[in-house]
Amino acid sequence: MKNNIYSPVNDETTAGAGCGAHSSCGTKPSGGCGAKPSSCSTPSGPSVIPNPKELHACMGLNACKGHDRLGTNDCAGMGECATAAMHSCHTLNDCRNQGGCGLYGTPEEQNNPGNNSCSWQGSCAVPINAERFSTEGPNRGKSVWKRARVVFEEKMLKANRQFGDPFMEGGPTMDYINKNFSGYAACGASGLSGGGTCS
Amino acid sequence: MLTPDKLNDLRDHLQTAVEVELSTIPLYLYTYYSINRTPTLTIKDENRANEINTFANKAGGILMSVAVEEMLHLSLASNILKALGGSPVIYDKSPKNYPTNLLHHKDGFSIGLTKLTQSQLQKFMDVEKPAPVEEDPQGDQWETLGQFYEYIANLVKQTEEWDYSNPDNQLVDGRGYYAPNNIDTVYAKDAAQSSSTVQYANSDDSGGLKQIKNKEDALAAITEISEQGEGFRTDPTHKYDDPSHEEESHWFKYSELNTKFFELELTDEEKKQFIFNFPENPGNPENPNNVELPIKYQPVVDLCDAVYSYLLWMTEMSFTLKGTAQSSMFYIGMHKGMIFILDKIIGGMRRATYKDEKGNEWNLAPTFKNFTFSSKETAKKELVALAELVILENKLKLETEYELSEDILQRIKDLPDVNVVGNKVSFA
């Protein structure tokens, strides 16, 4: 159900999937969250974005033009990378919608990647590498990024918003992330390891 | 109807059950952490290397799948105790030393902390051994956990509905507290094909957390504990513990690993390539084979013990809290503490090595000893101070092979404070 028109959406007043929500790392979490992280990890290199327009968990999950990590994407759903602070796993996310999902968490959490309601309630790392799969719930054994994209598309359609094709079909691979966005140290491709699965 | 004395007896046995479940967790975790689940093998025969890789990964997944269910059992026993007006004591209740007998187990049984070995897998089978159908329930001098829980179940059957006075403060389903599978419980059926052959060691229908509101709930929880351990009592194979026959019992899982370990006929060199050389029962001065720990590693071992003990304290405190306060303590505290603090500390420790006086090389291992904090008021500050000491040691470059990252220190600082005032949890 993708809308393949590349017409930028500039209406930042629509609530929808958070378009117009102007937040930065460390901002008090929305939704009445009381627990505020005391610090944020700071991605390095090209991934640094001093003032993201919208916080989202991965490639292709941005609600507006210019809302990806680099601020250069043409349309909703076409962003190249997350704006949420990169973090390595479960309960380490700063804010709402910043959890990546997969690997740890309940079936409900794992079925809602990038859609958590509060800080420290995300299920896994950001960004969501293409190789990551869910370990619980209806999406078990399937791609977390693809599930995140479905959740995103459902939210956009509900808000009557257009969106474009993702930058990479299937989401960013670990190899792609490591080459283009330094500072990422989350779960590996298969993650089938113990004692340091995630960093 | 239970007399007040009998009701107290039931509560005492539930506390014993909590401690028995607790004592198994370090056993399984110690062996789990001794395994490098994704080793880089130097074996030239690709098929042999893949066979060993697959076994290493499966052994880790199986051990963790059992360990998470032991944590579930601890919670279920605690829920029954809460429902009956008691409250579980968990902090400082880990066994003082290993090897140890399990609490109230028949004399003569002993189990300790060891790296992955065939004899340790056989010991794990003994712990999870199915109870024969004709075996009498035993509250003391029990030989199987099934026998012990049957004794508790018989007392529960004599309770009345009014005995279940406290449905609150329990760890219940629907709050994100428990998931049977995570990345540490799954494994590849074939390591060469990794994530395309993922196996899920636990199944949703073997049971999860339950709120205990009446006798029926309590009996269902006890059945869940027993069946996850030993399988269905009436099934002579004791293979499965769930209706869909997707999850194997603890005993059967260990039995399969034991068989595979035997069939592999691993050479010492092969074992070295995926099993960290953890000493037996570290930190027990009464152990005749105790390996002396270099003093430079004492701070990180203390930190590891302190984190482990703090996790137990957070769990205990969770059974005194309600609503969002309980979620802050358990959901955030325990998940962060187990996965992103304790796991990361041990994951780093085990790569550090040291030599004993005979020149044997060992890997740095956790001891899972009770760390006694000065007070509940100062516990978190003490924990942070221990972490800062390890960081300071790193900065002083005391030639330790272990380095604690600032990220982990920050996560420790972000843990909830066990010193709860009212029903409000502080993270400061």
Side-chain angles (χ1 to χ4, degrees), chain A residues 38-39 88-91 103-106 109 120-121 134-136 140-141 190-199, chain B residues 32 37-38 57 176 179-184 186 194 200 204 331-332 335-336 339-340 343-344 350 410-411 414:
Chain A
S38 54
S39 74
S88 62
C89 233
H90 196 41
T91 75
L103 309 188
Y104 294 102
T106 63
E109 288 170 323
W120 294 349
Q121 290 187 1
S134 303
T135 56
E136 278 292 353
R140 191 170 95 169
S190 72
L192 298 176
S193 59
T197 306
C198 308
S199 59
Chain B
Y32 171 81
R37 295 183 63 182
T38 51
N57 198 262
N181 284 303
N182 60 55
I183 192 58
D184 298 323
V186 301
S194 195
Y200 297 85
D204 294 339
Y331 177 88
I332 294 173
H335 288 182
K336 192 172 301 205
I339 304 168
F340 302 110
D343 178 82
K344 301 304 163 271
R350 64 188 189 162
Q410 186 57 53
R411 291 170 198 171
D414 286 342

Side-chain angles (χ1 to χ4, degrees), chain B residues 11-25:
Chain B
R11 290 191 194 114
D12 287 346
H13 278 86
L14 285 164
Q15 173 63 33
T16 301
V18 167
E19 292 180 47
V20 169
E21 299 294 352
L22 175 56
S23 65
T24 64
I25 295 169

Side-chain angles (χ1 to χ4, degrees), chain A residues 77-162:
Chain A
M78 297 176 71
E80 191 175 340
C81 193
T83 52
M86 287 188 182
H87 61 87
S88 62
C89 233
H90 196 41
T91 75
L92 302 184
N93 58 299
D94 285 345
C95 299
R96 182 173 185 242
N97 294 344
Q98 290 191 48
C101 273
L103 309 188
Y104 294 102
T106 63
E108 186 184 0
E109 288 170 323
Q110 294 209 30
N111 209 33
N112 285 284
N115 201 27
N116 57 295
S117 61
C118 196
S119 66
W120 294 349
Q121 290 187 1
S123 170
C124 201
V126 164
I128 306 168
N129 52 298
E131 297 88 346
R132 195 185 309 163
F133 58 92
S134 303
T135 56
E136 278 292 353
N139 199 52
R140 191 170 95 169
K142 298 176 191 166
S143 159
V144 175
W145 186 89
K146 286 183 179 174
R147 176 63 198 160
R149 179 72 188 191
V150 168
V151 171
F152 165 78
E153 291 185 6
E154 285 171 352
K155 283 163 70 174
M156 293 298 280
L157 289 170
K158 196 173 171 186
N160 293 316
R161 300 295 304 274
Q162 297 182 97

Side-chain angles (χ1 to χ4, degrees), chain B residues 88-364:
Chain B
V89 182
I90 300 168
Y91 166 66
D92 210 30
K93 289 294 180 185
S94 203
K96 301 283 180 235
N97 275 313
Y98 287 96
T100 184
N101 194 350
L102 299 174
L103 214 51
H104 289 209
H105 189 285
K106 189 173 181 181
D107 297 340
F109 184 73
S110 175
I111 188 162
L113 305 176
T114 84
K115 64 185 178 183
L116 179 69
T117 64
Q118 181 135 33
S119 61
Q120 186 69 345
L121 289 172
Q122 287 160 357
K123 280 278 184 185
F124 291 167
M125 288 173 66
D126 287 342
V127 171
E128 307 286 353
K129 186 170 64 177
V133 177
E134 68 278 5
E135 204 165 57
D136 290 333
Q138 288 287 352
D140 196 18
Q141 293 291 307
W142 52 271
E143 291 184 76
T144 65
L145 279 164
Q147 219 181 357
F148 176 60
Y149 276 107
E150 192 64 26
Y151 177 87
I152 294 175
N154 283 346
L155 288 174
V156 167
K157 285 173 188 167
Q158 298 170 57
T159 56
E160 302 292 343
E161 293 310 309
W162 57 74
D163 291 323
Y164 296 84
S165 57
N166 186 14
D168 299 326
N169 310 109
Q170 299 178 27
L171 297 184
V172 299
D173 198 15
R175 300 183 66 92
Y177 294 163
Y178 176 73
N181 284 303
N182 60 55
I183 192 58
D184 298 323
T185 67
V186 301
Y187 57 91
K189 190 174 184 180
D190 179 352
Q193 296 178 50
S194 195
S195 55
S196 64
T197 61
V198 173
Q199 305 293 297
Y200 297 85
N202 288 340
S203 165
D204 294 339
D205 65 346
S206 78
L209 283 169
K210 285 181 168 60
Q211 186 179 21
I212 309 300
K213 290 177 283 191
N214 51 46
K215 186 193 304 191
E216 190 182 339
D217 293 338
L219 290 171
I222 292 168
T223 301
E224 180 179 320
I225 294 170
S226 294
E227 289 182 346
Q228 286 187 347
E230 64 177 35
F232 296 122
R233 180 79 55 94
T234 52
D235 171 8
T237 69
H238 297 281
K239 183 171 183 180
Y240 297 109
D241 63 10
D242 65 326
S244 65
H245 285 195
E246 288 181 3
E247 177 177 316
E248 291 167 349
S249 69
H250 297 181
W251 177 80
F252 196 87
K253 284 174 178 175
Y254 287 142
S255 171
E256 275 200 321
L257 279 186
N258 180 45
T259 302
K260 188 65 187 175
F261 199 110
F262 175 76
E263 289 172 352
L264 277 172
E265 296 182 352
L266 295 159
T267 64
D268 287 345
E269 186 52 39
E270 287 172 334
K271 287 177 192 169
K272 275 184 197 168
Q273 293 198 27
F274 76 97
I275 302 171
F276 290 101
N277 195 26
F278 280 5
E280 283 189 18
N281 306 304
N284 179 1
E286 292 167 15
N287 171 14
N289 301 319
N290 189 41
V291 178
E292 200 69 38
L293 183 74
I295 197 156
K296 65 184 178 183
Y297 286 129
Q298 197 60 54
V300 69
V301 171
D302 287 345
L303 173 65
C304 190
D305 287 341
V307 168
Y308 168 65
S309 299
Y310 197 83
L311 291 175
L312 300 186
W313 215 343
M314 286 196 296
T315 307
E316 181 177 315
M317 289 306 299
S318 298
F319 285 99
T320 67
L321 301 170
K322 294 179 186 175
T324 54
Q326 189 188 62
S327 293
S328 294
M329 184 64 72
F330 196 79
Y331 177 88
I332 294 173
M334 289 301 291
H335 288 182
K336 192 172 301 205
M338 283 192 300
I339 304 168
F340 302 110
I341 299 176
L342 188 66
D343 178 82
K344 301 304 163 271
I345 291 173
I346 300 174
M349 282 170 66
R350 64 188 189 162
R351 296 190 181 278
T353 57
Y354 60 97
K355 287 188 175 170
D356 64 16
E357 55 193 17
K358 293 176 188 163
N360 299 313
E361 189 171 84
W362 302 93
N363 292 85
L364 186 58

Side-chain angles (χ1 to χ4, degrees), chain B residues 13-118:
Chain B
H13 278 86
L14 285 164
Q15 173 63 33
T16 301
V18 167
E19 292 180 47
V20 169
E21 299 294 352
L22 175 56
S23 65
T24 64
I25 295 169
L27 293 171
Y28 299 156
L29 289 184
Y30 192 85
T31 303
Y32 171 81
Y33 282 113
S34 76
I35 304 168
N36 181 352
R37 295 183 63 182
T38 51
T40 306
L41 303 175
T42 56
I43 300 162
K44 287 181 183 165
D45 180 340
E46 282 184 15
N47 289 335
R48 178 67 174 170
N50 189 49
E51 194 174 25
I52 293 172
N53 258 322
T54 301
F55 176 73
N57 198 262
K58 178 174 179 174
I62 292 294
L63 277 158
M64 184 54 82
S65 78
V66 175
V68 298
E69 286 192 339
E70 299 302 347
M71 297 173 202
L72 170 67
H73 298 174
L74 187 155
S75 301
L76 288 171
S78 298
N79 278 354
I80 303 172
L81 183 55
K82 284 302 294 186
L84 291 167
S87 203
V89 182
I90 300 168
Y91 166 66
D92 210 30
K93 289 294 180 185
S94 203
K96 301 283 180 235
N97 275 313
Y98 287 96
T100 184
N101 194 350
L102 299 174
L103 214 51
H104 289 209
H105 189 285
K106 189 173 181 181
D107 297 340
F109 184 73
S110 175
I111 188 162
L113 305 176
T114 84
K115 64 185 178 183
L116 179 69
T117 64
Q118 181 135 33

